Amino acid sequence: QGERSHPTSTLSFGKQGDSSLDLSHLTEEEQTSILQVVQRDLELRRRDEGRVRSETNPTHLRFLSGAWFSEERSKRHHNWMSGCDLVHSTIRHRKTKSRGQFSGHEVLLSVASGTVFLPLPKYDSGGQQYTLSGSMMSLFSSGDFGVVEVRGRIQYSLAYDNQKEELQVKVYRCEDIAAARKNRSDPYVKTYLLPDKSNHSKKKTSVKKKTLNPVYDQTLRVYLSPDSISSRGNIMFSIKFIPEGYEGGGLPLTGEVHIWLREAQGLLSNKGGAVDSFVRSYILPDASRQSSQKTRVVKRSISPTYNHTMVYDGFHTSDLREACAELTVWQREGLKTHVLGGIRLSCGTGQSYGEAVSWMDSTEEEVAAWMSMIENPNHWIDATLPIRTNLARRSE
């Protein structure tokens, strides 16, 4: 009658003086499984507490509350802490924060309990040294750092080897980093080439024991082709401008821009693998909902075929030199969507109707396709362009 399932969660893992258990060697899945067990235990406790509060008989209350178990345990064991409490002090939830539009590959350096975000350098055969401090809490590190103040400095250099097509992150040392527990840390540095957060992207140094000023002098190497630095794949399309009345009989009534989105090739998603994707278009400077058009969603493909035509009317030939066709590729994950990259077809002058605008940032290839459309009315212009990740932000 006295046996109950819930006191088994008090299985001891360590002594009271040691308030943490290092589970960093476990995988994310293993840590998640442990956390689910702990959460289930807490749910059972809450249910029991509700049942206990309604009991008035002291003898029955002693058994319902599990007090009998705690009394017996206290007679046999001293200075031990609950395994449930210990695991809770070790595993913490990590909530992913949105970083807005992705503007290119980034390297994430995580040192002890802190991280630094660094922009990927231009092609450079030499390395430039940096020392950064004031980092934010890591979204990828395991362990519960509680109220530890994230601080310290990291000295590193970045270089790109054109022959080896290799990004080299040279980690020299760290200074004055935070003590993770008991005035000590066993720090190491790990890097991710964002937006890929998988283990395939992760590289890390060796662990330096019991130091807040570790010296590494190690180079972390990541294969990275030159094309992938600023591109997320290619998009194949055709464009055509039909001037007012060009087809005869006064048709069309106004000038029309036709954009035939055919397919994308080699899409690179944030997590790798096949993606659910679609393409959205605007003719800027009109960024309203009326200007927005999009293709259907093509599921589970890195080279989706859209075969969709967008038509925009109301144009004079002179308007085309002030306008920009923005095509962005989006990934859908459940109810959420985020942009993978895009292209902008325009004259690339940096101005629209006399005002400076950020979205007139077309590349030479994009300008060439747009100008060819203007100069060859009523003819399809075929193009295959890289999907850029460095589109300049525009005000909505």
Side-chain angles (χ1 to χ4, degrees):
Q1 183 180 0
E3 290 185 359
R4 299 181 45 75
S5 59
H6 122 189
T8 58
S9 66
T10 59
L11 176 65
S12 300
F13 279 72
K15 294 192 175 182
Q16 188 71 37
D18 185 7
S19 62
S20 61
L21 176 67
D22 185 7
L23 300 181
S24 60
H25 61 285
L26 300 180
T27 65
E28 293 284 345
E29 290 78 13
E30 291 169 337
Q31 293 190 26
T32 300
S33 297
I34 294 175
L35 186 58
Q36 289 173 345
V37 171
V38 174
Q39 290 173 334
R40 176 61 177 166
D41 179 84
L42 290 178
E43 181 182 350
L44 292 175
R45 284 190 181 187
R46 284 193 290 268
R47 291 181 182 179
D48 280 350
E49 288 172 357
R51 192 155 53 94
V52 167
R53 281 192 289 267
S54 62
E55 179 60 56
T56 57
N57 187 307
T59 303
H60 290 170
L61 182 62
R62 181 171 176 270
F63 283 96
L64 287 176
S65 64
W68 65 272
F69 184 89
S70 299
E71 293 172 6
E72 291 299 320
R73 187 188 63 163
S74 64
K75 297 175 183 178
R76 304 179 188 180
H77 307 284
H78 301 279
N79 298 325
W80 291 78
M81 74 179 297
S82 162
C84 173
D85 294 336
L86 180 58
V87 173
H88 260 300
S89 70
T90 304
I91 300 182
R92 62 186 174 88
H93 292 285
R94 293 190 296 279
K95 297 182 179 179
T96 302
K97 300 179 180 178
S98 171
R99 297 194 181 95
Q101 249 186 336
F102 178 69
S103 59
H105 285 295
E106 293 177 306
V107 179
L108 167 62
L109 280 86
S110 175
V111 188
S113 58
T115 63
V116 179
F117 289 91
L118 312 172
L120 194 67
K122 300 292 185 182
Y123 305 156
D124 185 3
S125 58
Q128 182 176 1
Q129 292 189 21
Y130 298 87
T131 300
L132 294 187
S133 60
S135 59
M136 65 177 64
M137 184 65 71
S138 172
L139 299 177
F140 303 93
S141 297
S142 57
D144 181 7
F145 302 104
V147 295
V148 172
E149 178 187 359
V150 180
R151 58 185 173 82
R153 296 174 297 279
I154 179 171
Q155 185 180 22
Y156 68 95
S157 66
L158 296 177
Y160 184 78
D161 190 315
N162 286 284
Q163 288 187 334
K164 296 181 179 180
E165 295 188 355
E166 184 179 75
L167 173 67
Q168 300 172 351
V169 184
K170 179 65 178 290
V171 182
Y172 295 95
R173 59 177 179 163
C174 300
E175 294 179 346
D176 193 30
I177 63 176
R181 56 180 66 89
K182 291 186 176 179
N183 296 322
R184 60 165 283 185
S185 283
D186 299 328
Y188 62 92
V189 176
K190 64 180 177 181
T191 67
Y192 288 86
L193 186 62
L194 299 180
D196 185 359
K197 303 171 187 176
S198 68
N199 287 332
H200 177 74
S201 166
K202 180 174 68 175
K203 304 293 180 182
K204 61 182 182 180
T205 67
S206 59
V207 177
K208 301 299 180 180
K209 296 286 188 178
K210 301 180 181 180
T211 178
L212 303 182
N213 299 283
V215 177
Y216 297 100
D217 284 330
Q218 289 182 248
T219 301
L220 307 177
R221 305 174 189 274
V222 183
Y223 170 76
L224 189 64
S225 66
D227 293 338
S228 70
I229 291 179
S230 59
S231 172
R232 306 291 286 170
N234 294 310
I235 187 167
M236 300 177 64
F237 64 95
S238 300
I239 54 176
K240 177 172 65 172
F241 174 62
I242 306 176
E244 175 185 350
Y246 201 86
E247 294 180 341
L251 298 176
L253 297 178
T254 62
E256 295 179 349
V257 173
H258 292 231
I259 305 173
W260 175 20
L261 287 166
R262 293 151 62 189
E263 61 183 287
Q265 297 177 332
L267 291 183
L268 294 175
S269 70
N270 287 359
K271 298 180 180 178
V275 298
D276 297 348
S277 67
F278 64 92
V279 177
R280 175 175 285 144
S281 69
Y282 288 93
I283 297 292
L284 304 175
D286 185 0
S288 67
R289 289 187 177 182
Q290 288 72 24
S291 174
S292 175
Q293 298 187 39
K294 65 180 182 179
T295 69
R296 65 187 177 91
V297 175
V298 179
K299 295 185 176 181
R300 300 188 59 77
S301 176
I302 61 173
S303 296
T305 297
Y306 302 109
N307 195 26
H308 183 95
T309 300
M310 285 91 160
V311 178
Y312 291 89
D313 58 14
F315 286 95
H316 296 290
T317 302
S318 59
D319 293 327
L320 298 179
R321 299 185 180 276
E322 311 297 334
C324 170
E326 179 185 85
L327 308 177
T328 50
V329 183
W330 293 74
Q331 179 178 0
R332 189 182 73 176
E333 294 181 287
L335 299 177
K336 298 180 179 179
T337 60
H338 59 268
V339 68
L340 296 178
I343 62 173
R344 285 186 177 142
L345 307 174
S346 71
C347 294
T349 60
Q351 292 187 340
S352 175
Y353 297 105
E355 294 186 6
V357 292
S358 61
W359 41 263
M360 273 286 194
D361 61 340
S362 301
T363 65
E364 291 184 5
E365 292 175 300
E366 293 166 349
V367 170
W370 189 251
M371 292 301 298
S372 182
M373 179 197 71
I374 296 175
E375 295 166 359
N376 297 276
N378 207 31
H379 284 81
W380 285 108
I381 305 300
D382 301 329
T384 300
L385 295 177
I387 299 170
R388 295 193 284 133
T389 60
N390 60 347
L391 298 180
R393 291 182 181 274
R394 58 176 172 82
S395 58
E396 298 295 335

